[in-house]
Amino acid sequence: MSLISHGPAWAALQAHWSDIDRLRMRDLFDDDPERCARFSLEACGLHVDYSKNLITAETMRLLMALAREADLDSWRNRLLRGDKVNNTEGRAVLHMALRNLGNRRYEEDGEEVMPGIRSVLSRMRAFSDDVRHGRWLGHTGRRISDVVSIGIGGSSLGPKMACEALRPYQRNDLRVHFVSNIDAAHLMQTLDGLDPATTLFVIASKTFTTQETITNAESARAWCLDALHDEAAIARHFVAVSTNRDAVAAFGIDPHNMFEFWDWVGGRYSLWSAIGLPIALAVGMDRFEELLAGAHDMDEHFVEAAPEHNMPIVLALLGIWYNNFGGSDTQAIIPYDQNLQYLPTYLQQVDMESNGKRVTRDGDAVDYATGPVIWGQPGTDAQHSFFQLIHQGTRLIPTDFILPLASHHDLGGHHDKLVANCLAQAQALMRGRTADEARAELEAGDVDAGRIAELVAHRVFPGNRPSNMIVVDRVTPRVLGALIALYEHKVFVQGVVWGVDSFDQWGVELGKQLAGNILADFRRITCSPGVDSSTASLIRRYRMAIDE
Ligand code: G6Q
């Protein structure tokens, strides 16, 4: 077994952390006026300032050596070549092909995948144009006013995040909603106020067997038939996105109304495929293709740029620096953009489902931390809730700030204040406030000496808290595509360094299986053998509640 943690690059980084930990970021800035320029990158409409990290040029050199030792170059080539890098599921990972607007050749088992992709894209264009222009009508001849996408996990989080991010590009006469939770509240509250005659359901499921999605889809069909009283209505009000044609047909959706994708598209990497149909419906196919173009720009950058100038590689290695050498467990994502409100949730799945693994590709247990806990919410709200802990708590929490320079809304003074807050947070995390500075502030405020002595320790901020500032001009479809692809590739690079399969999700599969067993036990007099006493008691309690 050869774990990356047993190699020389790892040992060098471990030793280096104790050198770096002694440095103060504010001194590094004072000593080097070029620090920001030295540690900034520009690509695909994104500017990444990573100068407010606990790094020197030596740190970056050592991190690059780690990537080389992990054979990053060759893994990237395997990904591009269509090798089965998802080894536990025996699948290629080709989501880059879905946004391949250049002339790169992508193959799966020796067969070109681009013709299939182009054909689905053109069907998506025809369909979304028809719906948006009122050529696709409901069963009673009325225009579609609402699209309800039913899907969960990878079949929902990406499109939901992107539709919200691109809300300024949406029309208000065609609303797009997302239902994922099997909790009836989600479906019922979404349908409340919608008109079945003008509602179109997109049932999105790679397998078309996921309990939540199929249950919600069945209830949605009943709701539709209740009002329209005609099975023929299903063909005008239900379309499917799936890899499983037979299950779609068995559900009762005409396979002509199915948009196909393929098993080499992982759920959490699928928004670029037909899973993105709700995005195309919401903002139009031209803009969906701009989203693809932005991601393609980032793919090319990831493939072509030297590691030192390669945004995903740099961000991935910085994450590893804190996760594996700085003892940090989490990573905060703070977009200063209300419409990016679902980005942290979306990235939770991309990152944690991909790299939340405890064994290497060979099945050996790792002896280091893998994927961090990803969390966050938009600023400025975050400042009024958990930022206290990032500033003055005991934990090291690397933070990504995402900052658009321009807003889609020109409302006097708002954006200046938003940007000022974002910059101030990053600056404060970096600089902190020393005891002398805290004392001087209190003295300037005429606080008496005894009170100052009591308060100083509470008003000290250690600073030295790392952050990346990801700046974009404005959140356009193209910029959003590049931003998402940046994180996808970051996660890939980290997975390569940790030696894990970033593309399987056996934990998710376990959840699907266990819920089925318990559901069956609700209908039995006694629980299945082997059920623990806690679960059995909870099952009994639930049985009693439903019998009342
Ligand atoms: C994503 C995961 C998971 C999946 C959902 C929905 O990478 O595999 O989140 O997307 O479980 O699965 P279906 O699309 O098959 O319904």
Side-chain angles (χ1 to χ4, degrees):
M1 126 171 147
S2 96
L3 292 179
I4 188 80
S5 53
H6 298 182
W10 194 274
L13 281 159
Q14 269 175 330
H16 183 61
W17 179 265
S18 36
D19 297 337
I20 284 295
D21 207 19
R22 281 196 288 272
L23 301 177
R24 311 297 310 158
M25 256 196 265
R26 54 160 69 193
D27 298 336
L28 295 174
F29 273 97
D30 291 346
D31 294 348
D32 178 7
E34 295 302 310
R35 183 174 170 86
C36 173
R38 198 182 307 288
F39 295 127
S40 289
L41 295 170
E42 201 83 43
C44 317
L46 271 55
H47 170 83
V48 173
D49 173 354
Y50 64 100
S51 60
K52 295 194 201 73
N53 276 289
L54 285 161
I55 53 166
T56 60
E58 174 67 357
T59 319
M60 295 314 293
R61 196 186 63 73
L62 293 173
L63 286 168
M64 293 296 158
L66 182 73
R68 275 195 303 281
E69 207 171 289
D71 228 359
L72 175 60
D73 251 7
S74 113
W75 278 104
R76 193 174 40 182
N77 289 338
R78 284 181 227 186
L79 182 73
L80 282 167
R81 243 182 6 227
D83 285 5
K84 299 201 181 324
V85 296
N86 177 359
N87 62 307
T88 72
E89 294 182 334
R91 287 178 180 164
V93 175
L94 289 173
H95 50 271
M96 282 198 284
L98 298 167
R99 57 225 190 185
N100 175 26
L101 303 181
N103 46 18
R104 225 172 250 291
R105 195 182 158 85
Y106 285 94
E107 288 180 359
E108 195 228 5
D109 285 334
E111 200 176 313
E112 253 205 284
V113 297
M114 289 313 301
I117 292 172
R118 291 200 189 100
S119 133
V120 174
L121 281 173
S122 77
R123 288 192 58 223
M124 286 170 69
R125 173 174 291 279
F127 178 70
S128 56
D129 280 358
D130 282 354
V131 173
R132 287 170 60 81
H133 296 136
R135 292 189 295 265
W136 177 283
L137 300 173
H139 184 62
T140 60
R142 291 172 60 196
R143 266 180 95 124
I144 299 299
S145 62
D146 293 87
V147 173
V148 178
S149 171
I150 296 182
I152 196 165
S155 296
S156 169
L157 289 164
K160 179 178 170 183
M161 176 274 295
C163 284
E164 178 66 15
L166 301 179
R167 188 193 277 238
Y169 297 88
Q170 288 190 36
R171 294 188 338 211
N172 52 18
D173 61 347
L174 183 64
R175 293 164 295 272
V176 180
H177 316 261
F178 290 87
V179 173
S180 51
N181 201 334
I182 201 161
D183 182 343
H186 204 175
L187 182 69
M188 296 307 288
Q189 288 166 11
T190 304
L191 297 184
D192 190 21
L194 300 194
D195 182 346
T198 62
T199 300
L200 172 73
F201 291 94
V202 177
I203 313 301
S205 174
K206 182 172 169 177
T207 55
F208 229 77
T209 55
T210 304
Q211 189 188 58
E212 291 91 332
T213 300
I214 301 306
T215 307
N216 277 325
E218 278 162 355
S219 300
R221 183 172 55 187
W223 176 82
C224 187
L225 289 177
D226 239 20
L228 301 177
H229 312 290
D230 186 353
E231 277 288 337
I234 299 303
R236 305 306 298 170
H237 292 271
F238 280 76
V239 299
V241 180
S242 187
T243 59
N244 188 345
R245 191 169 291 272
D246 292 346
V248 167
F251 178 88
I253 295 179
D254 182 347
H256 289 108
N257 288 351
M258 170 180 146
F259 297 83
E260 180 193 13
F261 66 115
W262 306 271
D263 70 4
W264 41 260
V265 185
R268 56 197 172 274
Y269 298 93
S270 64
L271 78 87
W272 322 102
S273 71
I275 288 288
L277 185 64
I279 310 172
L281 288 163
V283 299
M285 194 63 189
D286 286 346
R287 291 193 169 121
F288 181 69
E289 288 191 345
E290 286 168 31
L291 183 82
L292 301 185
H296 175 67
D297 292 345
M298 185 54 74
D299 294 342
E300 290 301 304
H301 167 78
F302 176 55
V303 171
E304 300 295 340
E308 294 73 15
H309 304 292
N310 196 305
M311 251 178 213
I313 297 181
V314 167
L315 290 188
L317 294 173
L318 288 169
I320 287 174
W321 179 224
Y322 300 115
N323 192 59
N324 297 109
F325 304 97
S328 157
D329 294 323
T330 81
Q331 156 86 65
I333 310 274
I334 315 293
Y336 273 69
D337 183 306
Q338 188 58 29
N339 291 130
L340 290 179
Q341 61 175 312
Y342 299 129
L343 184 70
T345 320
Y346 165 75
L347 291 177
Q348 278 178 332
Q349 188 193 25
V350 169
D351 199 318
M352 292 160 77
E353 203 166 280
S354 297
N355 287 337
K357 311 287 162 67
R358 48 173 288 284
V359 295
T360 64
R361 293 170 174 282
D362 299 329
D364 298 321
V366 298
D367 58 5
Y368 43 81
T370 59
V373 177
I374 303 292
W375 58 291
Q377 69 170 61
T380 56
D381 286 37
Q383 292 172 212
H384 299 265
S385 58
F386 53 74
F387 255 75
Q388 167 63 32
L389 183 138
I390 306 186
H391 281 293
Q392 285 190 302
T394 52
R395 297 166 197 282
L396 179 70
I397 301 172
T399 302
D400 280 0
F401 292 100
I402 298 164
L403 178 64
L405 296 178
S407 165
H408 285 282
H409 303 278
D410 187 13
L411 191 60
H414 281 249
H415 203 65
D416 288 355
K417 289 172 190 160
L418 183 77
V419 176
N421 270 280
C422 179
L423 301 188
Q425 290 299 315
Q427 185 187 39
L429 287 170
M430 181 274 283
R431 286 191 67 79
R433 181 162 64 196
T434 64
D436 285 348
E437 288 167 350
R439 196 170 297 110
E441 259 186 39
L442 288 164
E443 282 165 1
D446 268 350
V447 181
D448 70 65
R451 190 74 183 131
I452 290 178
E454 281 167 12
L455 286 181
V456 164
H458 299 278
R459 297 176 63 112
V460 166
F461 288 73
N464 246 15
R465 310 234 153 162
S467 67
N468 296 308
M469 183 67 70
I470 302 176
V471 183
V472 303
D473 283 347
R474 189 190 289 269
V475 179
T476 60
R478 192 161 191 138
V479 158
L480 182 68
L483 182 68
I484 301 167
L486 167 64
Y487 278 100
E488 284 182 350
H489 293 315
K490 171 193 161 180
V491 165
F492 170 72
V493 172
Q494 294 188 327
V496 167
V497 171
W498 291 324
V500 300
D501 182 343
S502 301
F503 301 105
D504 61 11
Q505 57 283 314
W506 297 104
V508 181
E509 312 302 334
L510 175 75
K512 292 184 178 181
Q513 188 186 324
L514 292 184
N517 299 346
I518 289 185
L519 189 62
D521 273 348
F522 291 156
R523 308 284 165 230
R524 295 194 179 110
I525 308 288
T526 52
C527 287
S528 322
V531 175
D532 61 89
S533 63
S534 166
T535 309
S537 143
L538 292 165
I539 290 173
R540 275 196 302 277
R541 188 172 281 267
Y542 182 65
R543 273 192 208 128
M544 274 156 61
I546 52 179
D547 286 348
E548 268 167 16

